[in-house]
Amino acid sequence: MARHIFRPTRYHNTLGTAEPCLRVADGDIIVAETVDASGLDAHEKPVASRPNPMTGPFFVEGAEPGDTLAVEILRLTPNRRTGWTYSPLALTVLDPAAILERPKQERAIWEINANEGTVRLQDAPAALAGFTPPLAPMIGCFGVAPAGGEAISTATSGPHGGNMDYRRFAPGTTAWFPVAVPGALFYLGDGHAAQGDGEITGTGIETSFEMEVRLSVLKRRIKWPRAETAEEIITLGNARPLDQALQHATTEMQAWLGEDYGLDPRAAAHLMGMVVRYDVGNVFNPAYTVACRIAKKWLTKA
């Protein structure tokens, strides 16, 4: 297994069957630079266009349609000292009447203090003078080429992954994506220094990163993205309206419980009805994201 260091010179605003930037073996590690959602690099120089320019795609030897690509997130390191967000709250999360009083959109700058592990808003209003939430790096947009020769915008998401903005896509998590084309063609980017659930202002703290991931091929079939941490298994649905995303995530979890844990639909329902947890990944983009989680302490391998 090799460790590849990749410095991109071109970026993509769709996930599709573009020419691979690098071919890697099953199990290899990639250390790749990514730019922020607006295309600014580590020197805050514009090198790509929005939305969410991606680094990649990486061709993974041995990955074939019907397989699963496992992406172990090893390290996410912001490579500059500032990031940015928008305010106010997004139109999608406000009551219609409240939209009339919504202030105009503004871009704000945040300071990233890697030594202290915090972020701080520049020129903060007095009420937020002491507000220093933790630095919590995550990947906003990543995934594989979709089926059918499609090229899908990095502004949205689907079965292939994409712009899910789910804050548990962080170091210690392994994400799974359904492979639809030879080599999988894996993309990553849109790193956030921190973000709450839902990306409800339309941004996390957008900044450039050095991302380190391990890519592995699993000879199994899935329909929607999955993830695993030391404590939980997670399934994700991407769709709009929100209830359809929840349906995809829930159905995928029921399938996983049958495949790996020997639970038929009735047994899965008993378990999920008591211990399932749901997260909202993104409610800003064209497709919303819902995550379905179950703690491993409730599970026994079949």
Side-chain angles (χ1 to χ4, degrees):
M1 291 181 285
R3 186 171 183 265
H4 307 270
I5 298 175
F6 183 73
R7 311 297 184 202
T9 58
R10 61 186 174 97
Y11 302 88
H12 302 272
N13 300 112
T14 60
L15 276 67
T17 53
E19 186 69 21
C21 66
L22 185 69
R23 298 176 78 97
V24 302
D26 179 10
D28 281 2
I29 291 173
I30 294 170
V31 179
E33 290 181 350
T34 65
V35 296
D36 75 18
S38 65
L40 301 181
D41 68 7
H43 307 288
E44 298 191 61
K45 177 183 175 183
V47 296
S49 60
R50 65 174 67 219
N52 300 328
M54 295 284 100
T55 297
F58 298 92
F59 186 104
V60 185
E61 301 287 354
E64 296 293 340
D67 293 341
T68 293
L69 183 69
V71 181
E72 183 182 356
I73 305 171
L74 301 173
R75 178 174 59 87
L76 302 175
T77 304
N79 57 14
R80 69 179 199 244
R81 296 182 180 179
T82 62
W84 56 272
T85 59
Y86 283 140
S87 68
L89 292 174
L91 299 175
T92 52
V93 301
L94 291 173
D95 286 335
I99 292 173
L100 298 175
E101 301 175 355
R102 181 177 179 264
K104 67 178 182 180
Q105 188 177 74
E106 292 183 349
R107 181 165 163 151
I109 303 300
W110 292 72
E111 299 168 0
I112 300 169
N113 190 323
N115 292 329
E116 294 183 2
T118 60
V119 294
R120 181 188 296 272
L121 181 62
Q122 286 186 0
D123 303 319
L128 296 179
F131 180 53
T132 54
L135 173 63
M138 53 164 281
I139 304 178
C141 184
F142 67 148
V144 296
E150 288 188 280
I152 297 180
S153 171
T154 55
T156 193
S157 58
H160 66 290
N163 195 31
M164 297 176 285
D165 294 308
Y166 181 47
R167 64 185 184 86
R168 292 179 190 271
F169 284 139
T173 296
T174 298
W176 295 5
F177 298 102
V179 175
V181 302
L185 297 182
F186 171 69
Y187 299 76
L188 79 170
D190 185 32
H192 299 172
Q195 181 205 286
D197 286 339
E199 201 191 39
I200 61 173
T201 67
T203 63
I205 298 180
E206 311 286 343
T207 194
S208 54
F209 272 83
E210 183 176 87
M211 298 185 176
E212 184 168 356
V213 298
R214 178 183 286 110
L215 304 181
S216 303
V217 178
L218 308 179
K219 294 299 178 180
R220 62 182 301 164
R221 185 181 295 271
I222 64 175
K223 292 183 177 179
W224 288 91
R226 300 182 183 183
E228 186 172 6
T229 69
E231 295 82 24
E232 295 179 313
I233 62 171
I234 306 167
T235 54
L236 293 102
N238 301 311
R240 195 163 181 172
L242 195 65
D243 59 351
Q244 188 176 347
L246 184 144
Q247 290 163 5
H248 292 322
T250 305
T251 304
E252 189 73 11
M253 180 60 77
Q254 178 182 258
W256 197 351
L257 293 177
E259 294 160 5
D260 287 10
Y261 302 97
L263 301 182
D264 65 21
R266 193 176 302 278
H270 289 315
L271 177 74
M272 294 173 69
M274 296 302 106
V275 302
V276 77
R277 298 291 182 265
Y278 288 104
D279 295 331
V280 175
N282 182 293
V283 288
F284 175 75
N285 296 319
Y288 294 161
T289 295
V290 171
C292 177
R293 298 187 286 118
I294 291 182
K296 289 180 177 178
K297 67 181 181 181
W298 304 116
L299 304 174
T300 302
K301 283 280 188 180

